[in-house]
């Protein structure tokens, strides 16, 4: 069984500030770690897929790191913008499926 | 448009009824996954099909069933509906470790 925990559950950040949140997992017995961005009434949108310890991925102002030895992944957003408001989901891929955390709900305050 | 199509977008039905949710995967994707998202819970894996065959099963109730047809579209059948079945049901398809989600069907049981 893959357990995925995300923290914090919700976060309010001033526009322009940078922020980060965490996905933690007790076991490294998975194939890949996925980050998704999910806006209400839309499809979850894939951000990153990471497979190796030490992986770092970047897309614009958003980046992510993976540390399988210590059991966590961080998602960073630099210079938050209102359009970054969404729920960010972390998921572990293994046993023919994705196992999701409950997400971090990010609200950017203009 | 993610390429994964789910119909209907919204469904309101009474307890005890049966409904069918439909998913058309992204062109070329052979795998289809069904997930349920209830209030305050993360995305819960229900079932996976690959090229017409069931590959993995999660916490899917016996009242629920699914199938994948030769044209690769999938249907999730929910019967003897209860109030607690009200949720957002997502379908995803995958290829080469990229999972693409549809926009979901919101089911309300009254």
């Amino acid at each position: 069984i893959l357990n995925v925990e995300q923290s914090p559950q919700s976060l309010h950040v001033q526009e322009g500030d940078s922020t980060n949140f965490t996905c933690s997992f007790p076991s490294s017995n998975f194939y890949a770690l996925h980050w998704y961005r999910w806006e209400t009434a839309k499809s979850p949108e894939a951000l990153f897929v990471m497979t190796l310890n030490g992986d770092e991925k970047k897309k614009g102002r958003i980046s992510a790191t993976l540390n399988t030895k210590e059991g966590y992944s961080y998602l960073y957003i630099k210079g938050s913008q209102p359009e970054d408001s969404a729920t960010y989901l972390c998921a572990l891929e293994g046993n023919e499926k994705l196992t999701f955390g409950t997400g971090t709900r990010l609200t950017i305050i203009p | 448009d993610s390429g994964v199509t789910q119909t209907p977008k919204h469904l309101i039905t009474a307890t005890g009824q049966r409904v069918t949710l439909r998913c058309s995967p992204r062109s070329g994707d052979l795998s289809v996954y069904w997930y349920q998202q209830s209030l305050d819970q993360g995305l819960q894996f229900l079932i996976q099909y690959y090229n017409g065959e069931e590959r993995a099963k999660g916490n899917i109730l016996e009242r629920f069933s699914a199938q994948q047809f030769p044209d690769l579209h999938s249907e999730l059948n929910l019967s003897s509906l209860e109030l607690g079945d009200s949720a957002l049901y997502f379908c995803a398809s995958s290829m080469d470790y990229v999972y693409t989600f549809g926009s979901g069907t919101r089911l309300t049981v009254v």
Side-chain angles (χ1 to χ4, degrees):
Chain A
I1 296 177
L2 297 173
N3 291 319
V4 186
E5 293 187 4
Q6 291 188 247
S7 61
Q9 194 171 11
S10 66
L11 193 54
H12 289 74
V13 174
Q14 201 69 41
E15 181 178 352
D17 287 352
S18 297
T19 187
N20 66 84
F21 25 93
T22 307
C23 173
S24 57
F25 39 90
S27 165
S28 61
N29 188 22
F30 58 88
Y31 176 78
L33 185 142
H34 297 244
W35 279 102
Y36 282 85
R37 178 177 180 278
W38 182 27
E39 289 183 73
T40 304
K42 294 187 178 178
S43 316
E45 172 197 352
L47 291 175
F48 304 113
V49 181
M50 295 182 287
T51 56
L52 300 175
N53 184 44
D55 251 356
E56 292 187 23
K57 295 283 177 83
K58 188 175 182 197
K59 187 188 288 188
R61 295 179 292 100
I62 305 177
S63 60
T65 61
L66 175 62
N67 185 325
T68 57
K69 290 183 180 177
E70 296 188 26
Y72 65 83
S73 174
Y74 289 146
L75 189 80
Y76 301 89
I77 301 178
K78 187 177 177 182
S80 303
Q81 299 297 309
E83 59 265 29
D84 296 328
S85 295
T87 296
Y88 291 82
L89 298 168
C90 168
L92 300 183
E93 181 180 355
N95 300 325
E96 307 278 3
K97 63 183 182 289
L98 293 178
T99 301
F100 283 87
T102 51
T104 291
R105 183 172 298 191
L106 176 66
T107 303
I108 306 302
I109 305 165
Chain B
D1 181 8
S2 67
V4 177
T5 304
Q6 287 189 250
T7 56
K9 289 194 184 306
H10 302 276
L11 199 49
I12 301 175
T13 191
T15 54
Q17 295 299 304
R18 172 190 168 94
V19 296
T20 298
L21 313 184
R22 183 188 168 105
C23 169
S24 294
R26 210 173 48 160
S27 178
D29 288 359
L30 300 178
S31 287
V32 170
Y33 305 77
W34 286 97
Y35 283 83
Q36 179 193 55
Q37 202 246 345
S38 303
L39 201 61
D40 293 333
Q41 294 211 358
L43 286 162
Q44 300 293 316
F45 171 70
L46 295 177
I47 198 163
Q48 181 215 357
Y49 281 83
Y50 178 84
N51 203 21
E53 294 197 0
E54 183 185 302
R55 263 282 176 92
K57 215 167 188 176
N59 297 326
I60 187 167
L61 300 172
E62 284 191 11
R63 301 182 285 109
F64 295 3
S65 64
Q67 54 185 325
Q68 186 180 26
F69 295 86
D71 67 352
L72 301 178
H73 91 270
S74 177
E75 293 181 356
L76 179 67
N77 300 296
L78 315 176
S79 61
S80 303
L81 285 168
E82 302 175 359
L83 295 177
D85 298 327
S86 295
L88 192 52
Y89 291 84
F90 280 105
C91 165
S93 68
S94 76
M95 185 163 66
D96 295 337
Y97 313 112
V98 176
Y99 292 72
T100 304
F101 282 80
S103 55
T105 292
R106 182 166 293 283
L107 173 66
T108 303
V109 183
V110 296

